[in-house]
Amino acid sequence: MVASETYAEFLREQLAPLGRVTMRRMFGKTGVFCDGVMLGMVTENTLYFRVDDQNRETFREAAAFPPLNYTKKGETIDLAFWRVPERLFDEPDEFFAWARAALAAAHRVAAKRPAPKQRKRS
């Protein structure tokens, strides 16, 4: 389920200090992007931030919840997105620290991807 418009607007406001925040429907969920890189996903109005080896310790509290996942051919596949604890929405400084850590992970993931192929001009 994608993010409701109200929840999406709330997240855009919360994440605005990071940069230009946009959202796009993806795979029945909502991708959360900052300046073109995906730092989070939303499903059922629940925010998940991108996690990697370098920010996993920051998100230690989120490990208590299952990561964002999907089912394919009867198997559950976990994604590198962990649920943001609801309490963080009442603690803006800590929320923003998590958001910065997720954005840093998003940049690391983007840097590992090969550059898009250029079309040859005729």
Short mmCIF file of all heavy atoms in Angstrom, two decimals, residues 24-91:
data_model
loop_
_atom_site.label_atom_id
_atom_site.label_comp_id
_atom_site.label_asym_id
_atom_site.label_seq_id
_atom_site.Cartn_x
_atom_site.Cartn_y
_atom_site.Cartn_z
N ARG A 24 7.70 8.58 -5.02
CA ARG A 24 7.25 7.92 -6.24
C ARG A 24 6.75 6.52 -5.90
O ARG A 24 7.37 5.81 -5.11
CB ARG A 24 8.43 7.85 -7.22
CG ARG A 24 8.08 7.27 -8.54
CD ARG A 24 9.22 7.41 -9.54
NE ARG A 24 10.27 6.47 -9.21
CZ ARG A 24 11.56 6.73 -9.30
NH1 ARG A 24 11.99 7.91 -9.67
NH2 ARG A 24 12.45 5.81 -9.02
N ARG A 25 5.63 6.16 -6.50
CA ARG A 25 5.09 4.81 -6.29
C ARG A 25 6.01 3.79 -6.94
O ARG A 25 6.46 3.97 -8.07
CB ARG A 25 3.70 4.70 -6.91
CG ARG A 25 2.69 5.48 -6.14
CD ARG A 25 1.32 5.36 -6.75
NE ARG A 25 0.41 6.19 -6.00
CZ ARG A 25 -0.86 5.94 -5.87
NH1 ARG A 25 -1.40 4.91 -6.47
NH2 ARG A 25 -1.63 6.73 -5.15
N MET A 26 6.26 2.74 -6.18
CA MET A 26 7.15 1.67 -6.65
C MET A 26 6.70 0.35 -6.06
O MET A 26 6.65 0.22 -4.83
CB MET A 26 8.60 1.94 -6.20
CG MET A 26 9.16 3.27 -6.58
SD MET A 26 10.80 3.50 -5.90
CE MET A 26 11.71 2.28 -6.83
N PHE A 27 6.42 -0.61 -6.89
CA PHE A 27 6.13 -1.96 -6.42
C PHE A 27 5.04 -2.01 -5.35
O PHE A 27 5.12 -2.76 -4.38
CB PHE A 27 7.40 -2.63 -5.87
CG PHE A 27 8.62 -2.41 -6.71
CD1 PHE A 27 9.66 -1.62 -6.26
CD2 PHE A 27 8.71 -2.99 -7.98
CE1 PHE A 27 10.78 -1.41 -7.04
CE2 PHE A 27 9.83 -2.76 -8.77
CZ PHE A 27 10.86 -1.98 -8.29
N GLY A 28 4.03 -1.17 -5.48
CA GLY A 28 2.94 -1.14 -4.51
C GLY A 28 3.28 -0.42 -3.23
O GLY A 28 2.53 -0.47 -2.26
N LYS A 29 4.43 0.24 -3.21
CA LYS A 29 4.87 1.02 -2.05
C LYS A 29 5.21 2.42 -2.54
O LYS A 29 5.04 2.73 -3.71
CB LYS A 29 6.08 0.35 -1.40
CG LYS A 29 5.77 -1.04 -0.86
CD LYS A 29 7.02 -1.77 -0.47
CE LYS A 29 6.78 -3.16 0.04
NZ LYS A 29 5.82 -3.98 -0.66
N THR A 30 5.74 3.27 -1.67
CA THR A 30 6.17 4.61 -2.05
C THR A 30 7.65 4.76 -1.75
O THR A 30 8.07 4.58 -0.60
CB THR A 30 5.38 5.68 -1.27
OG1 THR A 30 3.98 5.50 -1.53
CG2 THR A 30 5.79 7.08 -1.70
N GLY A 31 8.44 5.08 -2.78
CA GLY A 31 9.85 5.35 -2.59
C GLY A 31 10.02 6.80 -2.13
O GLY A 31 9.35 7.70 -2.63
N VAL A 32 10.91 7.02 -1.16
CA VAL A 32 11.19 8.36 -0.65
C VAL A 32 12.59 8.73 -1.14
O VAL A 32 13.57 8.06 -0.82
CB VAL A 32 11.13 8.40 0.89
CG1 VAL A 32 11.41 9.81 1.40
CG2 VAL A 32 9.79 7.89 1.41
N PHE A 33 12.67 9.82 -1.91
CA PHE A 33 13.91 10.24 -2.54
C PHE A 33 14.32 11.61 -2.03
O PHE A 33 13.47 12.46 -1.78
CB PHE A 33 13.73 10.33 -4.06
CG PHE A 33 13.44 9.01 -4.71
CD1 PHE A 33 12.16 8.48 -4.70
CD2 PHE A 33 14.46 8.29 -5.32
CE1 PHE A 33 11.89 7.26 -5.30
CE2 PHE A 33 14.19 7.06 -5.93
CZ PHE A 33 12.90 6.55 -5.91
N CYS A 34 15.62 11.81 -1.92
CA CYS A 34 16.17 13.13 -1.60
C CYS A 34 17.22 13.43 -2.65
O CYS A 34 18.20 12.68 -2.79
CB CYS A 34 16.78 13.14 -0.20
SG CYS A 34 17.45 14.76 0.23
N ASP A 35 16.99 14.48 -3.39
CA ASP A 35 17.90 14.87 -4.47
C ASP A 35 18.23 13.69 -5.38
O ASP A 35 19.37 13.50 -5.81
CB ASP A 35 19.18 15.50 -3.89
CG ASP A 35 18.89 16.78 -3.12
OD1 ASP A 35 17.94 17.51 -3.50
OD2 ASP A 35 19.59 17.05 -2.13
N GLY A 36 17.23 12.87 -5.66
CA GLY A 36 17.35 11.79 -6.63
C GLY A 36 17.81 10.44 -6.11
O GLY A 36 17.85 9.48 -6.87
N VAL A 37 18.17 10.33 -4.84
CA VAL A 37 18.56 9.02 -4.31
C VAL A 37 17.52 8.55 -3.29
O VAL A 37 16.96 9.35 -2.54
CB VAL A 37 19.97 9.01 -3.68
CG1 VAL A 37 21.04 9.25 -4.71
CG2 VAL A 37 20.09 10.00 -2.56
N MET A 38 17.26 7.24 -3.28
CA MET A 38 16.20 6.70 -2.45
C MET A 38 16.72 6.37 -1.05
O MET A 38 17.50 5.44 -0.87
CB MET A 38 15.59 5.45 -3.08
CG MET A 38 14.36 4.99 -2.34
SD MET A 38 13.35 3.79 -3.22
CE MET A 38 14.41 2.38 -3.18
N LEU A 39 16.26 7.15 -0.08
CA LEU A 39 16.68 6.93 1.30
C LEU A 39 15.65 6.16 2.10
O LEU A 39 15.95 5.70 3.21
CB LEU A 39 16.97 8.26 2.01
CG LEU A 39 15.75 9.11 2.39
CD1 LEU A 39 15.93 9.61 3.80
CD2 LEU A 39 15.65 10.27 1.45
N GLY A 40 14.45 5.99 1.58
CA GLY A 40 13.43 5.29 2.34
C GLY A 40 12.30 4.77 1.48
O GLY A 40 12.24 5.03 0.29
N MET A 41 11.43 4.00 2.14
CA MET A 41 10.22 3.49 1.51
C MET A 41 9.10 3.60 2.53
O MET A 41 9.34 3.55 3.74
CB MET A 41 10.38 2.03 1.08
CG MET A 41 11.50 1.82 0.12
SD MET A 41 11.20 1.09 -1.49
CE MET A 41 9.58 0.75 -1.77
N VAL A 42 7.88 3.75 2.01
CA VAL A 42 6.70 3.80 2.86
C VAL A 42 5.74 2.73 2.40
O VAL A 42 5.49 2.57 1.20
CB VAL A 42 6.01 5.18 2.78
CG1 VAL A 42 4.72 5.19 3.58
CG2 VAL A 42 6.94 6.28 3.27
N THR A 43 5.21 2.00 3.35
CA THR A 43 4.12 1.08 3.08
C THR A 43 3.15 1.19 4.25
O THR A 43 3.58 1.26 5.41
CB THR A 43 4.60 -0.37 2.86
OG1 THR A 43 3.47 -1.18 2.52
CG2 THR A 43 5.30 -0.94 4.06
N GLU A 44 1.88 1.25 3.95
CA GLU A 44 0.84 1.38 4.96
C GLU A 44 1.14 2.52 5.94
O GLU A 44 1.01 2.35 7.16
CB GLU A 44 0.64 0.05 5.68
CG GLU A 44 0.19 -1.05 4.73
CD GLU A 44 -0.01 -2.38 5.41
OE1 GLU A 44 -0.11 -2.42 6.66
OE2 GLU A 44 -0.08 -3.38 4.69
N ASN A 45 1.59 3.65 5.40
CA ASN A 45 1.92 4.84 6.19
C ASN A 45 2.93 4.55 7.30
O ASN A 45 2.88 5.12 8.38
CB ASN A 45 0.68 5.51 6.75
CG ASN A 45 -0.10 6.23 5.67
OD1 ASN A 45 0.43 6.53 4.60
ND2 ASN A 45 -1.34 6.52 5.92
N THR A 46 3.86 3.66 7.01
CA THR A 46 4.97 3.34 7.89
C THR A 46 6.26 3.61 7.12
O THR A 46 6.43 3.11 6.01
CB THR A 46 4.93 1.87 8.35
OG1 THR A 46 3.68 1.65 9.03
CG2 THR A 46 6.07 1.54 9.28
N LEU A 47 7.16 4.39 7.72
CA LEU A 47 8.41 4.76 7.08
C LEU A 47 9.51 3.77 7.41
O LEU A 47 9.67 3.37 8.56
CB LEU A 47 8.81 6.17 7.54
CG LEU A 47 10.15 6.71 7.03
CD1 LEU A 47 10.16 6.84 5.50
CD2 LEU A 47 10.44 8.05 7.70
N TYR A 48 10.26 3.41 6.39
CA TYR A 48 11.44 2.55 6.52
C TYR A 48 12.62 3.30 5.92
O TYR A 48 12.52 3.84 4.82
CB TYR A 48 11.25 1.24 5.73
CG TYR A 48 10.19 0.34 6.29
CD1 TYR A 48 8.83 0.58 6.06
CD2 TYR A 48 10.52 -0.78 7.05
CE1 TYR A 48 7.85 -0.24 6.57
CE2 TYR A 48 9.54 -1.62 7.56
CZ TYR A 48 8.21 -1.35 7.31
OH TYR A 48 7.24 -2.18 7.82
N PHE A 49 13.76 3.33 6.63
CA PHE A 49 14.96 3.99 6.14
C PHE A 49 15.95 2.95 5.61
O PHE A 49 16.02 1.83 6.11
CB PHE A 49 15.65 4.79 7.24
CG PHE A 49 15.11 6.18 7.45
CD1 PHE A 49 15.16 6.75 8.70
CD2 PHE A 49 14.60 6.94 6.41
CE1 PHE A 49 14.70 8.04 8.93
CE2 PHE A 49 14.13 8.23 6.61
CZ PHE A 49 14.18 8.78 7.87
N ARG A 50 16.75 3.38 4.63
CA ARG A 50 17.79 2.51 4.05
C ARG A 50 18.88 2.25 5.09
O ARG A 50 19.33 3.15 5.78
CB ARG A 50 18.41 3.17 2.82
CG ARG A 50 19.42 2.25 2.15
CD ARG A 50 20.00 2.83 0.90
NE ARG A 50 19.05 2.89 -0.20
CZ ARG A 50 18.70 1.87 -0.99
NH1 ARG A 50 19.19 0.67 -0.77
NH2 ARG A 50 17.85 2.05 -1.98
N VAL A 51 19.28 0.98 5.15
CA VAL A 51 20.30 0.55 6.10
C VAL A 51 21.41 -0.17 5.34
O VAL A 51 21.15 -0.89 4.38
CB VAL A 51 19.69 -0.42 7.15
CG1 VAL A 51 20.74 -0.94 8.09
CG2 VAL A 51 18.59 0.28 7.92
N ASP A 52 22.64 0.07 5.77
CA ASP A 52 23.77 -0.68 5.23
C ASP A 52 24.74 -0.97 6.38
O ASP A 52 24.45 -0.65 7.54
CB ASP A 52 24.44 0.04 4.05
CG ASP A 52 25.18 1.32 4.44
OD1 ASP A 52 25.23 1.68 5.64
OD2 ASP A 52 25.70 1.99 3.53
N ASP A 53 25.87 -1.58 6.08
CA ASP A 53 26.81 -1.96 7.14
C ASP A 53 27.33 -0.75 7.91
O ASP A 53 27.64 -0.87 9.10
CB ASP A 53 27.99 -2.74 6.55
CG ASP A 53 27.58 -4.13 6.08
OD1 ASP A 53 26.55 -4.65 6.57
OD2 ASP A 53 28.28 -4.69 5.22
N GLN A 54 27.42 0.40 7.27
CA GLN A 54 28.00 1.57 7.94
C GLN A 54 27.02 2.29 8.86
O GLN A 54 27.44 3.02 9.76
CB GLN A 54 28.56 2.53 6.91
CG GLN A 54 29.79 1.95 6.22
CD GLN A 54 30.42 2.92 5.27
OE1 GLN A 54 30.48 4.11 5.54
NE2 GLN A 54 30.88 2.42 4.14
N ASN A 55 25.72 2.15 8.64
CA ASN A 55 24.77 2.84 9.53
C ASN A 55 23.93 1.89 10.37
O ASN A 55 23.07 2.32 11.12
CB ASN A 55 23.87 3.82 8.75
CG ASN A 55 22.85 3.14 7.88
OD1 ASN A 55 22.77 1.92 7.78
ND2 ASN A 55 22.03 3.94 7.21
N ARG A 56 24.20 0.61 10.27
CA ARG A 56 23.42 -0.40 11.01
C ARG A 56 23.41 -0.13 12.52
O ARG A 56 22.40 -0.29 13.18
CB ARG A 56 23.97 -1.79 10.70
CG ARG A 56 23.05 -2.91 11.06
CD ARG A 56 23.58 -4.24 10.54
NE ARG A 56 23.96 -4.21 9.14
CZ ARG A 56 23.13 -4.46 8.12
NH1 ARG A 56 21.88 -4.75 8.37
NH2 ARG A 56 23.56 -4.41 6.89
N GLU A 57 24.53 0.32 13.06
CA GLU A 57 24.61 0.58 14.50
C GLU A 57 23.68 1.74 14.89
O GLU A 57 23.03 1.69 15.93
CB GLU A 57 26.06 0.88 14.91
CG GLU A 57 26.23 1.08 16.40
CD GLU A 57 25.85 -0.14 17.25
OE1 GLU A 57 25.90 -1.28 16.76
OE2 GLU A 57 25.47 0.06 18.42
N THR A 58 23.59 2.77 14.05
CA THR A 58 22.68 3.89 14.30
C THR A 58 21.24 3.40 14.42
O THR A 58 20.47 3.87 15.24
CB THR A 58 22.78 4.94 13.17
OG1 THR A 58 24.12 5.39 13.09
CG2 THR A 58 21.85 6.11 13.40
N PHE A 59 20.91 2.42 13.59
CA PHE A 59 19.53 1.91 13.51
C PHE A 59 19.31 0.67 14.37
O PHE A 59 18.34 -0.05 14.18
CB PHE A 59 19.17 1.60 12.07
CG PHE A 59 19.14 2.79 11.17
CD1 PHE A 59 19.23 2.63 9.80
CD2 PHE A 59 19.02 4.07 11.66
CE1 PHE A 59 19.20 3.72 8.96
CE2 PHE A 59 18.99 5.18 10.83
CZ PHE A 59 19.08 5.00 9.47
N ARG A 60 20.19 0.41 15.32
CA ARG A 60 20.11 -0.78 16.17
C ARG A 60 18.70 -0.98 16.75
O ARG A 60 18.18 -2.09 16.77
CB ARG A 60 21.16 -0.66 17.28
CG ARG A 60 21.20 -1.80 18.24
CD ARG A 60 22.29 -1.62 19.30
NE ARG A 60 22.05 -0.42 20.12
CZ ARG A 60 22.85 0.65 20.16
NH1 ARG A 60 23.94 0.69 19.45
NH2 ARG A 60 22.55 1.68 20.92
N GLU A 61 18.06 0.10 17.20
CA GLU A 61 16.71 0.01 17.78
C GLU A 61 15.70 -0.56 16.78
O GLU A 61 14.79 -1.29 17.14
CB GLU A 61 16.27 1.40 18.24
CG GLU A 61 14.87 1.47 18.79
CD GLU A 61 14.46 2.89 19.15
OE1 GLU A 61 15.32 3.78 19.24
OE2 GLU A 61 13.26 3.09 19.36
N ALA A 62 15.88 -0.22 15.50
CA ALA A 62 14.94 -0.68 14.47
C ALA A 62 15.05 -2.17 14.19
O ALA A 62 14.14 -2.76 13.61
CB ALA A 62 15.15 0.12 13.18
N ALA A 63 16.15 -2.79 14.59
CA ALA A 63 16.33 -4.22 14.34
C ALA A 63 15.29 -5.06 15.07
O ALA A 63 15.09 -6.23 14.74
CB ALA A 63 17.74 -4.65 14.73
N ALA A 64 14.60 -4.48 16.04
CA ALA A 64 13.56 -5.21 16.78
C ALA A 64 12.34 -5.49 15.90
O ALA A 64 11.55 -6.38 16.20
CB ALA A 64 13.13 -4.41 18.00
N PHE A 65 12.20 -4.74 14.81
CA PHE A 65 11.08 -4.91 13.88
C PHE A 65 11.58 -5.63 12.63
O PHE A 65 12.74 -5.47 12.26
CB PHE A 65 10.49 -3.56 13.46
CG PHE A 65 10.01 -2.73 14.62
CD1 PHE A 65 10.76 -1.67 15.08
CD2 PHE A 65 8.81 -3.02 15.24
CE1 PHE A 65 10.32 -0.88 16.14
CE2 PHE A 65 8.36 -2.24 16.29
CZ PHE A 65 9.12 -1.18 16.74
N PRO A 66 10.71 -6.36 11.96
CA PRO A 66 11.16 -6.98 10.71
C PRO A 66 11.46 -5.91 9.66
O PRO A 66 10.80 -4.87 9.62
CB PRO A 66 9.98 -7.85 10.28
CG PRO A 66 8.86 -7.53 11.18
CD PRO A 66 9.35 -6.67 12.29
N PRO A 67 12.46 -6.15 8.80
CA PRO A 67 12.74 -5.20 7.74
C PRO A 67 11.61 -5.22 6.70
O PRO A 67 10.80 -6.15 6.68
CB PRO A 67 14.05 -5.71 7.13
CG PRO A 67 14.07 -7.16 7.45
CD PRO A 67 13.33 -7.31 8.76
N LEU A 68 11.61 -4.22 5.86
CA LEU A 68 10.65 -4.21 4.75
C LEU A 68 10.95 -5.44 3.90
O LEU A 68 12.12 -5.76 3.65
CB LEU A 68 10.82 -2.93 3.94
CG LEU A 68 9.78 -2.67 2.86
CD1 LEU A 68 8.39 -2.54 3.46
CD2 LEU A 68 10.14 -1.40 2.11
N ASN A 69 9.92 -6.15 3.48
CA ASN A 69 10.15 -7.36 2.70
C ASN A 69 9.01 -7.58 1.71
O ASN A 69 8.01 -6.87 1.73
CB ASN A 69 10.31 -8.57 3.63
CG ASN A 69 9.11 -8.78 4.51
OD1 ASN A 69 7.98 -8.86 4.05
ND2 ASN A 69 9.33 -8.87 5.81
N TYR A 70 9.21 -8.56 0.86
CA TYR A 70 8.17 -8.98 -0.07
C TYR A 70 8.29 -10.48 -0.27
O TYR A 70 9.30 -11.09 0.10
CB TYR A 70 8.25 -8.22 -1.40
CG TYR A 70 9.49 -8.51 -2.22
CD1 TYR A 70 9.47 -9.47 -3.23
CD2 TYR A 70 10.68 -7.83 -1.98
CE1 TYR A 70 10.60 -9.74 -3.97
CE2 TYR A 70 11.81 -8.10 -2.72
CZ TYR A 70 11.76 -9.05 -3.73
OH TYR A 70 12.88 -9.32 -4.47
N THR A 71 7.27 -11.07 -0.84
CA THR A 71 7.26 -12.51 -1.07
C THR A 71 7.38 -12.77 -2.56
O THR A 71 6.69 -12.17 -3.38
CB THR A 71 5.97 -13.15 -0.53
OG1 THR A 71 5.87 -12.82 0.87
CG2 THR A 71 5.98 -14.65 -0.70
N LYS A 72 8.29 -13.67 -2.90
CA LYS A 72 8.49 -14.06 -4.29
C LYS A 72 8.62 -15.57 -4.35
O LYS A 72 9.47 -16.15 -3.66
CB LYS A 72 9.76 -13.40 -4.85
CG LYS A 72 10.02 -13.71 -6.30
CD LYS A 72 11.23 -12.95 -6.79
CE LYS A 72 11.46 -13.23 -8.26
NZ LYS A 72 12.62 -12.50 -8.76
N LYS A 73 7.76 -16.19 -5.11
CA LYS A 73 7.75 -17.65 -5.26
C LYS A 73 7.71 -18.35 -3.90
O LYS A 73 8.43 -19.31 -3.66
CB LYS A 73 8.95 -18.11 -6.07
CG LYS A 73 8.93 -17.60 -7.49
CD LYS A 73 10.10 -18.12 -8.28
CE LYS A 73 10.07 -17.54 -9.69
NZ LYS A 73 11.22 -17.95 -10.48
N GLY A 74 6.91 -17.81 -2.99
CA GLY A 74 6.73 -18.43 -1.68
C GLY A 74 7.82 -18.12 -0.67
O GLY A 74 7.76 -18.58 0.46
N GLU A 75 8.85 -17.37 -1.07
CA GLU A 75 9.93 -17.02 -0.15
C GLU A 75 9.85 -15.55 0.22
O GLU A 75 9.54 -14.70 -0.61
CB GLU A 75 11.29 -17.27 -0.79
CG GLU A 75 11.64 -18.74 -0.90
CD GLU A 75 13.09 -18.92 -1.31
OE1 GLU A 75 13.96 -18.23 -0.76
OE2 GLU A 75 13.32 -19.75 -2.20
N THR A 76 10.15 -15.24 1.48
CA THR A 76 10.19 -13.85 1.93
C THR A 76 11.58 -13.30 1.69
O THR A 76 12.58 -13.90 2.10
CB THR A 76 9.84 -13.75 3.43
OG1 THR A 76 8.51 -14.27 3.62
CG2 THR A 76 9.90 -12.32 3.93
N ILE A 77 11.63 -12.16 1.03
CA ILE A 77 12.90 -11.51 0.72
C ILE A 77 12.95 -10.20 1.49
O ILE A 77 12.10 -9.33 1.32
CB ILE A 77 13.02 -11.28 -0.80
CG1 ILE A 77 12.92 -12.64 -1.47
CG2 ILE A 77 14.29 -10.51 -1.12
CD1 ILE A 77 13.04 -12.74 -2.90
N ASP A 78 13.96 -10.10 2.38
CA ASP A 78 14.15 -8.89 3.18
C ASP A 78 14.90 -7.85 2.36
O ASP A 78 15.86 -8.16 1.66
CB ASP A 78 14.93 -9.19 4.45
CG ASP A 78 14.14 -10.03 5.44
OD1 ASP A 78 12.89 -10.03 5.35
OD2 ASP A 78 14.76 -10.67 6.31
N LEU A 79 14.46 -6.61 2.49
CA LEU A 79 15.12 -5.49 1.83
C LEU A 79 15.97 -4.73 2.85
O LEU A 79 15.81 -4.90 4.04
CB LEU A 79 14.06 -4.57 1.22
CG LEU A 79 13.14 -5.22 0.18
CD1 LEU A 79 12.06 -4.25 -0.25
CD2 LEU A 79 13.95 -5.69 -1.02
N ALA A 80 16.83 -3.87 2.36
CA ALA A 80 17.74 -3.10 3.23
C ALA A 80 17.06 -1.82 3.71
O ALA A 80 17.63 -0.74 3.67
CB ALA A 80 19.02 -2.78 2.47
N PHE A 81 15.82 -1.96 4.18
CA PHE A 81 15.06 -0.84 4.72
C PHE A 81 14.47 -1.29 6.05
O PHE A 81 13.76 -2.29 6.11
CB PHE A 81 13.93 -0.42 3.76
CG PHE A 81 14.44 0.16 2.49
CD1 PHE A 81 14.68 -0.64 1.39
CD2 PHE A 81 14.68 1.52 2.38
CE1 PHE A 81 15.15 -0.10 0.21
CE2 PHE A 81 15.15 2.07 1.21
CZ PHE A 81 15.39 1.26 0.11
N TRP A 82 14.79 -0.53 7.11
CA TRP A 82 14.30 -0.87 8.45
C TRP A 82 13.30 0.16 8.92
O TRP A 82 13.42 1.36 8.63
CB TRP A 82 15.45 -0.93 9.43
CG TRP A 82 16.36 -2.12 9.25
CD1 TRP A 82 16.31 -3.06 8.25
CD2 TRP A 82 17.45 -2.49 10.07
NE1 TRP A 82 17.30 -3.98 8.43
CE2 TRP A 82 18.02 -3.65 9.53
CE3 TRP A 82 18.01 -1.93 11.22
CZ2 TRP A 82 19.12 -4.29 10.10
CZ3 TRP A 82 19.11 -2.56 11.80
CH2 TRP A 82 19.65 -3.73 11.25
N ARG A 83 12.33 -0.32 9.67
CA ARG A 83 11.23 0.52 10.15
C ARG A 83 11.73 1.60 11.12
O ARG A 83 12.49 1.33 12.05
CB ARG A 83 10.22 -0.37 10.86
CG ARG A 83 9.01 0.35 11.35
CD ARG A 83 8.06 -0.66 11.95
NE ARG A 83 6.96 0.03 12.59
CZ ARG A 83 5.97 -0.59 13.17
NH1 ARG A 83 5.95 -1.91 13.21
NH2 ARG A 83 5.00 0.09 13.72
N VAL A 84 11.25 2.81 10.90
CA VAL A 84 11.58 3.93 11.78
C VAL A 84 10.64 3.88 12.98
O VAL A 84 9.42 3.88 12.82
CB VAL A 84 11.41 5.27 11.02
CG1 VAL A 84 11.62 6.46 11.95
CG2 VAL A 84 12.36 5.33 9.83
N PRO A 85 11.19 3.83 14.19
CA PRO A 85 10.33 3.80 15.39
C PRO A 85 9.45 5.06 15.45
O PRO A 85 9.92 6.17 15.21
CB PRO A 85 11.32 3.77 16.55
CG PRO A 85 12.59 3.25 15.97
CD PRO A 85 12.61 3.74 14.55
N GLU A 86 8.19 4.87 15.79
CA GLU A 86 7.23 5.99 15.85
C GLU A 86 7.69 7.09 16.80
O GLU A 86 7.43 8.26 16.57
CB GLU A 86 5.85 5.47 16.29
CG GLU A 86 5.16 4.63 15.24
CD GLU A 86 4.74 5.43 14.02
OE1 GLU A 86 4.27 6.58 14.18
OE2 GLU A 86 4.90 4.90 12.91
N ARG A 87 8.39 6.73 17.87
CA ARG A 87 8.80 7.71 18.85
C ARG A 87 9.69 8.81 18.24
O ARG A 87 9.73 9.93 18.74
CB ARG A 87 9.52 7.06 20.03
CG ARG A 87 10.89 6.54 19.69
CD ARG A 87 11.71 6.12 20.90
NE ARG A 87 13.05 5.79 20.46
CZ ARG A 87 14.00 6.69 20.19
NH1 ARG A 87 13.76 7.97 20.33
NH2 ARG A 87 15.20 6.30 19.79
N LEU A 88 10.37 8.50 17.14
CA LEU A 88 11.27 9.48 16.54
C LEU A 88 10.53 10.69 15.97
O LEU A 88 11.12 11.76 15.84
CB LEU A 88 12.12 8.84 15.44
CG LEU A 88 13.18 7.86 15.91
CD1 LEU A 88 14.00 7.36 14.74
CD2 LEU A 88 14.08 8.47 16.96
N PHE A 89 9.26 10.53 15.65
CA PHE A 89 8.50 11.67 15.13
C PHE A 89 8.26 12.72 16.21
O PHE A 89 7.94 13.86 15.90
CB PHE A 89 7.19 11.20 14.49
CG PHE A 89 7.44 10.40 13.24
CD1 PHE A 89 7.17 9.04 13.23
CD2 PHE A 89 7.96 10.99 12.10
CE1 PHE A 89 7.40 8.29 12.08
CE2 PHE A 89 8.21 10.25 10.96
CZ PHE A 89 7.93 8.89 10.95
N ASP A 90 8.46 12.34 17.47
CA ASP A 90 8.36 13.29 18.59
C ASP A 90 9.73 13.79 19.02
O ASP A 90 9.84 14.56 19.97
CB ASP A 90 7.67 12.63 19.79
CG ASP A 90 6.22 12.30 19.49
OD1 ASP A 90 5.57 13.06 18.74
OD2 ASP A 90 5.73 11.27 20.00
N GLU A 91 10.79 13.32 18.36
CA GLU A 91 12.16 13.71 18.68
C GLU A 91 12.86 14.14 17.39
O GLU A 91 13.61 13.35 16.79
CB GLU A 91 12.88 12.54 19.35
CG GLU A 91 12.20 12.12 20.65
CD GLU A 91 12.91 10.97 21.35
OE1 GLU A 91 14.15 10.87 21.22
OE2 GLU A 91 12.21 10.19 22.02
#
